[in-house]
Structure formats: structure tokens, C-alpha cells
Amino acid sequence: MELIVLWDIDHTLIENAGVSKEIYTAAFSALAGREPTGPARTDGRTDRLIMRDMFVRDGLPVPDWPGIEAALERAGRERLDSLRSRGCALPGAHEALKAASARRGWVSSVLTGNIAANARVKLSAFGLDSLLDLPVGAYGADADLRPDLVAVARERVRRLRCVPVDTPIVLVGDTPRDVEAALATGCGIVAVASGLHDRAELAAAGAPEVLPDLADTQRLLIVLESFAGDGKRPRTSSGRPRTR
């Protein structure tokens, strides 16, 4: 049974302990010549939107994207040691990725608002990068809106791994934006309440399956396998979407 599993990174796989917002502040400062008037608004948004919003909010012209991406990459690289010392992999993340990578017919990668370079920094800080097929993932430089990243990942998986175009996709993430991206593109979604949003918020956004975190590897695999079986959301015996 083939399946494409696309994982969010921040607050799903890792706790970045505020380093992400420091990266945005540093990139902004390098480009604008001064610090921003407030912190970046993240919450599942892409790096393109996050950085654009910072400049617009401060009444400054938005630099060309290549310059922004270079500043973000430099800021991320410079904060690798800080991320390692202050952040951590979230409970069960290593075991979950290892289990998914071992499933025959599964492609396990990322769908993240981070640019690719900083996604790799965050994952490598905690030894998670080798457990993911990163070349086929979708990143914050690939599109403005999170739902549009799904098509990017699907095409990369098709082209680079020769996976059929109709292979089911399931997103794993911690924000309502992850849920909305899945529902808008016909993907499955496993929401995890390991970030700022609790179970009730994620269920209200439309997530049929909400786990507290990734700690229960067996439970997570059962849910993922249900998507591999028919590509649809897991349901209760009454036919209604299941929440936990």
C-alpha cells in the first residue's frame, strides 16, 4: 500500500524554543538595517508570507525574494548551535519518522513553511534529517500559501520517486493551517496538539484525527495505515470522523 506522508516541522517534530522568530528578526534586520517593530507572525504560514508581512507592517518596501531567502538561510545557519542547545526533538518524533521510513511503498518527507535550507538545519540539529526524503518535500520558498505546497510535493514525488500521481497523501501538523491545507487539497490529515493549538481548536478546523503528540508510535501508524488503505479519513463505526 503506497502512501505519501508529509510532516510539518516546528511544533510537530521539533520545539525550536524561539529560535525561529530570532531567524526572522535577524534576516529582517540584515535587509532593513534595523530591527523590526515586532516579532514575526508565524503560525503555519510560509516564509514568503512571514517576511513579506514584516516589511509591510513596518512600512518598508519588500525586497526581492532571492535576497530574503539568502538572509534567512544565513540567519538559520548561524543559529544551529543555539537551536541544538535550547530546542529539542518532540516526544516520539524520531521513532515516528523511523517507523514511517521503514514502511515499504511509503514516501516520508516534509511540507513546511520553512525554506529548504532552514528546514534541514532544524531537522539536522536533532538527527531527524536522515529519516526523511527531503528532496521531494515542499518548502516555504515554493509557494505563498500552504495548500499550494501539496501540489509541489506531489509532483516532486512523482518525478523523483516514480510514485503514481493518485497515491494518497496525508499531512501531519499542529496548526489549523495544516488542517486547512489538507482539506483544501483532498489530503488526509493527522493533527497533533503539540504546539499552540489544543485538540478542540484542531478538531474545530476540521481534523478528523487529533493526537496529543507523536509519542504513541503504534497509534500513529495505525492512523497512517488507514489512509494508505483507502486514502480517506479514518472514521468511527458510526460513520462520523473520529477525534481523540
Side-chain angles (χ1 to χ4, degrees), residues 7 13 92-104 106 108 127-133 214 217 220-221 224:
W7 309 79
L13 295 175
H94 185 276
E95 293 80 5
L97 294 183
K98 185 175 181 180
S101 69
R103 283 295 191 275
R104 185 172 182 177
W106 289 20
S108 180
L128 302 178
D129 53 322
S130 63
L131 300 174
L132 290 155
D133 191 351
L214 300 177
T217 305
L220 175 65
L221 288 176
L224 291 176

Side-chain angles (χ1 to χ4, degrees), residues 114-148:
N114 292 281
I115 62 170
N118 287 351
R120 189 175 290 276
V121 164
K122 291 178 176 183
L123 294 166
S124 66
F126 309 110
L128 302 178
D129 53 322
S130 63
L131 300 174
L132 290 155
D133 191 351
L134 294 179
V136 302
Y139 302 92
D142 292 325
D144 287 352
L145 300 178
R146 202 172 191 93
D148 295 334

Side-chain angles (χ1 to χ4, degrees), residues 54-77:
M54 293 179 76
F55 281 94
V56 170
R57 182 187 60 191
D58 278 28
L60 298 175
V62 180
D64 292 339
W65 172 249
I68 294 177
E69 185 171 20
L72 284 170
E73 181 174 353
R74 183 167 55 253
R77 185 172 59 247

Side-chain angles (χ1 to χ4, degrees), residues 8 13 15-16 33 40-41 45 57 59 99 115 120 143 158 169 172 180 203 210 215 223 235 241:
D8 175 53
L13 295 175
E15 168 54 53
N16 65 60
R41 293 190 304 114
R45 300 158 78 230
R57 182 187 60 191
I115 62 170
R120 189 175 290 276
R158 184 201 64 79
I169 295 178
V172 184
E180 292 160 7
V210 182
V223 177
R235 294 178 178 270

Side-chain angles (χ1 to χ4, degrees), residues 86-238:
R86 291 161 47 193
C88 63
L90 286 172
H94 185 276
E95 293 80 5
L97 294 183
K98 185 175 181 180
S101 69
R103 283 295 191 275
R104 185 172 182 177
W106 289 20
V107 175
S108 180
S109 189
V110 296
L111 189 144
T112 175
N114 292 281
I115 62 170
N118 287 351
R120 189 175 290 276
V121 164
K122 291 178 176 183
L123 294 166
S124 66
F126 309 110
L128 302 178
D129 53 322
S130 63
L131 300 174
L132 290 155
D133 191 351
L134 294 179
V136 302
Y139 302 92
D142 292 325
D144 287 352
L145 300 178
R146 202 172 191 93
D148 295 334
L149 296 179
V150 173
V152 173
R154 184 182 288 282
E155 173 57 21
R156 286 176 177 158
V157 172
R158 184 201 64 79
R159 177 168 48 86
L160 297 177
R161 302 295 176 258
C162 299
V163 172
V165 71
D166 59 349
T167 301
I169 295 178
V170 57
L171 309 186
V172 184
D174 68 289
T175 73
R177 291 182 190 272
D178 295 299
V179 178
E180 292 160 7
L183 298 180
T185 56
C187 296
I189 176 70
V190 178
V192 288
S194 49
L196 298 177
H197 302 279
D198 61 23
R199 291 185 178 190
E201 290 177 280
L202 295 168
E209 189 73 30
V210 182
L211 304 178
D213 50 35
L214 300 177
D216 189 342
T217 305
Q218 183 177 7
R219 173 63 184 150
L220 175 65
L221 288 176
I222 289 171
V223 177
L224 291 176
E225 286 166 356
S226 72
F227 289 108
D230 60 15
K232 298 179 180 178
R233 299 184 298 183
R235 294 178 178 270
T236 65
S237 58
S238 65

